[in-house]
Amino acid sequence: MPAFVTEIYKAELAGTSADSLVTRLDRSCRRIAVEDQEGRQWSKLNGHLGYTSFNSLPDLADADEVFAELKTTLDYQAALYADRTQLELGGRKLRVKRLWINLLEPNGAQSSHLHTHSVLSGTLYTSVPEASGKLRFEDPRLGVMMHAPPRLPSARLYRQTFIPVIPQRGTLLLWESWLRQEETTHMGTGPRVSIGFNLDIET
Ligand SMILES: [Fe+2]
């Protein structure tokens, strides 16, 4: 009997009707990464190997309407997540409130973190070179496992303390925002491009 289940939602957009959206987003992310001097400067000063728009462009839909299209897609996917995981939203809907670009260069990584002030978070990968890293989720009970034995390496994936997901172009992941995750080191060549996002319940 599974108890206190943590659910991670995964969808593959490559090869679906959203495939061209992935292509257009990738093109736009790369263009903005070149043009956004403020974001490039912030990334450099903060040791981000690559580029993030997180601190420079609060609404990407202002920079390119393709991000408005992405919002619509993500709102739909979040509704599927909410339905599948039986969230009680009081008749209200989940809406994207923030989107940001992450362009990770080789040797780049992102340490363990969670996303505050939101209900759901996620990532959509638009360019994934080989060996460019995994998104590794951490068991949210880890902090209270004072005397718990580790799990066997052969234990089922959902029983492991850390669960790595290897993305491909078009992989969309969604999870509840309190869940800790980290990006392991990009060991490949060429930039890995992804879009991070947070959703909240509409007011
Ligand atoms: Fe994150």
Side-chain angles (χ1 to χ4, degrees):
M1 183 184 82
F4 312 119
V5 176
T6 303
E7 305 207 41
I8 299 167
Y9 176 95
K10 184 166 176 264
E12 298 293 349
L13 302 188
T16 72
S17 57
D19 194 287
S20 82
L21 175 62
V22 176
T23 301
R24 285 179 286 128
L25 285 166
D26 191 68
R27 198 180 303 139
S28 185
C29 288
R30 289 169 186 267
R31 177 180 58 77
I32 292 169
V34 171
E35 293 174 356
D36 176 18
Q37 292 300 325
E38 188 185 339
R40 290 170 67 88
Q41 184 70 5
W42 187 94
S43 302
K44 193 173 172 184
L45 289 173
N46 289 276
H48 183 86
L49 267 182
Y51 161 79
T52 178
S53 67
F54 190 83
N55 289 281
S56 53
L57 299 172
D59 192 351
L60 283 172
D62 288 343
D64 191 325
E65 63 184 18
V66 73
F67 292 99
E69 196 177 330
L70 175 63
K71 279 184 178 179
T72 303
T73 299
L74 296 176
D75 288 346
Y76 171 73
Q77 296 283 346
L80 292 180
Y81 177 100
D83 189 49
R84 193 174 291 181
T85 57
Q86 301 180 299
L87 300 184
E88 172 55 86
L89 300 178
R92 292 182 292 168
K93 296 186 184 313
L94 289 160
R95 297 284 187 220
V96 172
K97 64 172 191 175
R98 190 82 192 267
L99 292 166
W100 61 95
I101 298 165
N102 282 314
L103 195 144
L104 192 69
E105 296 288 357
N107 299 316
Q110 189 177 25
S111 58
S112 176
H113 64 282
L114 42 79
H115 295 214
T116 53
H117 307 298
S118 58
V119 172
L120 294 186
S121 297
T123 305
L124 170 64
Y125 295 84
T126 62
S127 272
V128 184
E130 197 166 333
S132 58
K134 304 166 187 168
L135 185 60
R136 202 168 77 134
F137 294 95
E138 176 185 310
D139 188 333
R141 302 165 299 177
L142 193 60
V144 291
M145 290 181 182
M146 290 169 288
H147 198 53
R151 275 38 176 178
L152 291 168
S154 58
R156 291 188 177 197
L157 185 62
Y158 69 82
R159 293 197 174 116
Q160 300 289 347
T161 305
F162 295 97
I163 297 182
V165 177
I166 302 173
Q168 316 176 58
R169 172 188 172 274
T171 299
L172 170 69
L173 296 165
L174 271 172
W175 59 86
E176 289 197 63
S177 302
W178 44 258
L179 185 59
R180 280 193 168 274
Q181 8 86 45
E182 65 178 316
E183 301 275 0
T184 65
T185 306
H186 180 342
M187 306 289 280
T189 54
R192 192 190 68 191
V193 183
S194 62
I195 301 158
F197 49 89
N198 288 331
L199 297 103
D200 205 349
I201 300 171
E202 68 181 354
T203 51

